[in-house]
Amino acid sequence: MDYQQFFPFIKYLTPEQKHQLLSSLQPLSFKKGDPIHDGQQCTGLYAVESGLLRVYIFSDEGKEITLYRLADYDICLLSASCMLRSIQFEVHIQAAEDSRVILLPTAVYAQLREENVHVANYTNELLASRFSEIMWLLDQILYKKLDSRLAAFLIEEKERGNDPLTMTHEEISRQLGTAREVVSRMLKYFQREGLIQQSRGCTHITDLDKLMALARESLR
């Protein structure tokens, strides 16, 4: 396996550091819906080999808010937040699909970051990227209409090959940080307008052009 796809800084490591990194990696597998990180642990970096992970937090009212999702070759740094003193919130990670991941333990990564400037730079770049995604999400929640966000989500899932989409309304609501009842009403509206067709737990896009127009403000 070419681990440079996961850890681009590997080419800058000394032979000893490279051995330390590779010997510490732990391959793990999760089924869809499995919890991976509960916010209390500081296990390390999760690198997605295949599948999809959902990173989320809980609001004060106990509502789940999805921060972002991680696909193939993406890295989750916030699961090693104990080495990042500026991170003051707890993140949770769940397998959104059957997934294979590679775990790099926190202690090993923290040592490499202290010893190698390229690892430190990579950490800063990864943090900046995740912060940008969270700011984008904040803009969506505060300033964009839910119909646009829901339409964009359906299009994103279609691009991932999930059409028809088999998520429940509850699962979709957790992705968008809203109530299930709101998602159900909006999907019924989409169906009345001929944008989608729902049947037996499946949601199928029937008018992609109109859905794209509705999703315009929320497409990445």
Side-chain angles (χ1 to χ4, degrees):
M1 181 181 295
D2 182 9
Y3 287 107
Q4 188 170 324
Q5 296 180 84
F6 301 99
F7 310 110
F9 55 78
I10 199 170
K11 60 185 176 181
Y12 300 111
L13 300 180
T14 66
E16 293 77 11
Q17 290 171 337
K18 185 175 181 179
H19 174 75
Q20 182 184 25
L21 170 69
L22 296 179
S23 63
S24 70
L25 297 177
Q26 303 172 26
L28 302 170
S29 296
F30 298 95
K31 295 292 186 181
K32 180 180 178 180
D34 284 351
I36 297 176
H37 182 75
D38 65 4
Q40 300 293 326
Q41 305 164 324
C42 188
T43 44
L45 276 68
Y46 287 100
V48 184
E49 183 179 350
S50 64
L52 187 70
L53 308 186
R54 182 172 73 98
V55 181
Y56 62 99
I57 60 174
F58 284 99
S59 69
D60 291 340
E61 296 78 23
K63 182 173 66 176
E64 293 182 12
I65 301 175
T66 299
L67 299 180
Y68 49 81
R69 300 191 296 174
L70 301 169
D72 297 5
Y73 304 116
D74 284 337
I75 303 287
C76 185
L77 180 62
L78 296 182
S79 51
S81 59
C82 61
M83 70 175 188
L84 306 170
R85 297 177 183 175
S86 59
I87 303 298
Q88 301 296 323
F89 56 89
E90 296 178 350
V91 299
H92 299 254
I93 306 173
Q94 180 187 49
E97 299 175 357
D98 291 352
S99 302
R100 294 198 304 270
V101 304
I102 300 169
L103 174 64
L104 172 57
T106 301
V108 175
Y109 187 76
Q111 182 177 347
L112 292 174
R113 188 184 64 157
E114 291 295 323
E115 294 176 351
N116 192 298
V117 66
H118 297 286
V119 182
N121 290 340
Y122 174 76
T123 303
N124 294 334
E125 292 172 3
L126 196 55
L127 276 175
S129 174
R130 297 297 173 241
F131 179 72
S132 176
E133 291 188 55
I134 293 173
M135 292 302 296
W136 181 87
L137 173 66
L138 185 61
D139 176 74
Q140 290 291 306
I141 292 175
L142 292 178
Y143 303 115
K144 300 301 186 291
K145 294 180 179 180
L146 181 62
D147 58 353
S148 176
R149 295 176 57 215
L150 177 56
F153 177 76
L154 294 176
I155 292 169
E156 181 182 340
E157 286 299 312
K158 179 180 177 62
E159 291 174 347
R160 287 184 51 79
N162 297 328
D163 186 27
L165 180 65
T166 57
M167 282 186 182
T168 66
H169 294 185
E170 178 66 31
E171 289 174 321
I172 296 174
S173 71
R174 288 200 296 267
Q175 297 286 346
L176 298 177
T178 189
R180 179 189 59 79
E181 294 80 6
V182 176
V183 168
S184 296
R185 287 198 299 270
M186 193 63 66
L187 288 173
K188 287 180 180 178
Y189 167 73
F190 283 4
Q191 182 163 272
R192 288 197 303 270
E193 294 296 308
L195 306 180
I196 64 170
Q197 181 65 43
Q198 297 185 93
S199 62
R200 294 184 176 274
C202 293
T203 302
H204 174 65
I205 295 175
T206 53
D207 195 327
L208 181 60
D209 290 339
K210 287 185 178 179
L211 201 65
M212 289 282 288
L214 183 61
R216 185 175 57 252
E217 292 185 347
S218 296
L219 289 172
R220 295 175 188 260

